[in-house]
Amino acid sequence: MIMDSYHRGHNYLRISLTDKCNLRCFYCMPEEEYEFVPSAKLMQADEIVALAKIFVANGVNKIRLTGGEPLVRKDAKEIILALSKLNVTLTITTNATRLHLFADVFEEAHIHSLNISLDTLKPEKFLFLTRRNEFNHVKNNIDLMIRRGFHVKINVVMMKGLNDDEINDFVAWTKDTPVHVRFIEFMPFSGNKWTSNQVFTLHEILNVVKEKYEVIPLTNGVHDTAKAFTVNKHLGTFSVISTMSAPFCSGCNRIRLTADGKIKNCLFSKNETDLLTAFRKGEDVLPLIVQNIGRKEKELGGQLLSDFKKIHAEDIHNRSMITIGG
Ligand code: SAM
Ligand code: SF4
């Protein structure tokens, strides 16, 4: 297993398949004209599989596909089926727009758990947040996947004044539906105009839920990013990913591989290591991986202050979320 200098083993690889997306969530994609990476600079399907095999040979046993929107990639099916042959738990994070085309592929690939993004239960707000009129289609696809028996987690980026009024609507959804809602504190990335007063924290979210429900804390695993809860007799659960107000870096086991083949050892890391160029030259990339993970900072890429109210987004050196792979 690849270890960092804080004795954290890294067994979880998140691969971004593309920086392209069919939605335009303002907190993820910079507003100014964004230039997508040309296809030749993206990892090709065989390169993704070959690099993944190197990670798997060195202790990775879980792979998540992400992006951009991973399912807009034309060869997504081929990549999913090839990765499913490795000895890993395979999962995916998606915006759900193309899920109806992939349910059978997921079953064939033994993908059981899906992380799906949905920040609002209101069609007009969905249009405002994503700049695309896809709410009904997305919601129908989510319902379809739940009916087909997938373990569905819903990622809700929580933003003060934008969707904090819907927290208990999401919790109400978990009453009769086995759906697992994950409220994510809004994070700063290049070009997303983050300010600390838009963060709605774990503490604030819990206070809102407790106004209406009796909240039961659930046990968390050492690598869990989400603090999980349920409400008595609800079929589903809700949780909070408290990156900004209560980070969880001490149990971090994650490595990120961007669509253009760079390793990032943290969502907020400044430094990246270019694996794809070395791989294309026929070099051994394992020493590059080991060196990159060895240099992982203790917390938040060494960039974010632990008091998020003191963070100035413009001082952070990073990519936009869509080019990292969340
Ligand atoms: N397109 C897919 C989707 O939307 O699920 C996968 C990629 S998306 C970048 C992965 C996750 O990152 C999504 O759940 C999204 O909501 C989250 N995300 C993007 N920007 C974020 C931000 N600024 N703060 C918190 N979460 C963010
Ligand atoms: Fe696309 Fe997902 Fe980013 Fe929204 S959050 S723009 S769906 S990649």
Side-chain angles (χ1 to χ4, degrees):
M1 172 114 55
I2 305 167
M3 306 295 286
D4 69 10
S5 59
Y6 299 93
H7 310 292
R8 293 174 293 201
H10 286 69
N11 64 330
Y12 181 6
L13 176 66
R14 302 169 74 109
I15 305 176
S16 171
L17 294 190
T18 177
D19 64 335
K20 296 179 185 59
C21 189
N22 49 357
L23 300 185
R24 293 286 180 277
C25 307
F26 77 88
Y27 51 75
C28 175
M29 193 185 259
E31 211 172 81
E32 58 273 14
E33 209 38 50
Y34 172 68
E35 270 194 42
F36 294 108
V37 177
S39 294
K41 290 203 172 158
L42 295 181
M43 294 184 291
Q44 305 302 300
D46 56 334
E47 292 169 331
I48 292 172
V49 177
L51 287 171
K53 281 183 179 165
I54 296 169
F55 284 96
V56 172
N58 289 281
V60 163
N61 58 12
K62 178 171 176 181
I63 295 181
R64 174 173 302 282
L65 302 178
T66 179
E69 173 46 42
L71 300 181
V72 299
R73 204 174 144 138
K74 288 199 177 62
D75 51 5
K77 176 178 174 185
E78 176 191 340
I79 295 168
I80 290 167
L81 292 178
L83 291 176
S84 75
K85 309 241 156 44
L86 307 183
N87 191 17
V88 293
T89 303
L90 190 59
T91 57
I92 189 158
T93 304
T94 170
N95 64 23
T97 51
R98 294 176 58 78
L99 276 181
H100 56 296
L101 304 171
F102 280 87
D104 293 339
V105 177
F106 291 166
E107 279 173 4
E108 190 180 341
H110 306 292
I111 293 180
H112 303 298
S113 177
L114 310 172
N115 285 16
I116 301 178
S117 298
L118 182 68
D119 303 318
T120 175
L121 296 169
K122 298 179 181 165
E124 3 29 285
K125 205 186 285 181
F126 185 94
L127 173 61
F128 172 74
L129 292 171
T130 68
R131 296 181 226 148
R132 295 291 183 271
N133 195 9
E134 291 278 354
F135 177 83
N136 290 328
H137 179 51
V138 161
K139 183 66 170 52
N140 288 341
N141 272 351
I142 294 173
D143 294 340
L144 170 73
M145 300 315 267
I146 294 171
R147 275 201 310 279
R148 286 194 58 158
F150 288 92
H151 182 85
V152 172
K153 300 182 197 168
I154 302 292
N155 286 354
V156 185
V157 180
M158 192 39 60
M159 294 160 286
K160 197 176 274 181
L162 271 180
N163 57 354
D164 53 312
D165 59 331
E166 294 191 58
I167 290 172
N168 281 333
D169 297 342
F170 276 103
V171 175
W173 189 14
T174 70
K175 183 170 188 297
D176 299 318
T177 312
V179 65
H180 304 279
V181 173
R182 298 161 14 120
F183 299 112
I184 307 178
E185 290 178 353
F186 183 28
M187 298 182 254
F189 295 100
S190 297
N192 78 348
K193 301 201 168 69
W194 178 94
T195 53
S196 62
N197 58 8
Q198 295 165 289
V199 177
F200 203 75
T201 62
L202 162 68
H203 184 68
E204 291 170 307
I205 292 168
L206 280 181
N207 280 346
V208 170
V209 183
K210 284 175 182 168
E211 279 169 18
K212 187 159 178 205
Y213 298 103
E214 199 177 317
V215 172
I216 306 166
L218 298 170
T219 316
N220 295 302
V222 64
H223 301 305
D224 287 348
T225 54
K227 296 176 180 62
F229 307 89
T230 191
V231 171
N232 197 19
K233 299 207 173 102
H234 279 211
L235 288 182
T237 63
F238 74 95
S239 56
V240 183
I241 301 183
S242 56
T243 315
M244 304 310 300
S245 71
F248 31 77
C249 305
S250 61
C252 185
N253 60 346
R254 291 175 290 281
I255 313 170
R256 291 185 152 78
L257 186 57
T258 63
D260 57 350
K262 314 262 178 14
I263 319 181
K264 271 178 83 73
N265 57 30
C266 171
L267 255 184
F268 302 107
S269 61
K270 245 187 236 177
N271 299 321
E272 307 176 343
T273 301
D274 185 353
L275 281 197
L276 184 59
T277 303
F279 183 79
R280 284 182 177 173
K281 285 185 193 155
E283 291 170 13
D284 179 7
V285 298
L286 183 59
L288 297 176
I289 300 171
V290 171
Q291 190 185 55
N292 180 290
I293 300 302
R295 290 185 184 152
K296 181 160 170 157
E297 301 275 353
K298 187 172 178 208
E299 271 188 357
L300 299 170
Q303 288 213 80
L304 300 197
L305 301 167
S306 50
D307 178 358
F308 75 86
K309 293 199 176 95
K310 295 190 177 142
I311 294 173
H312 296 286
E314 59 281 9
D315 297 340
I316 300 169
H317 297 270
N318 203 352
R319 295 169 171 233
S320 55
M321 179 58 128
I322 197 156
T323 62
I324 299 174

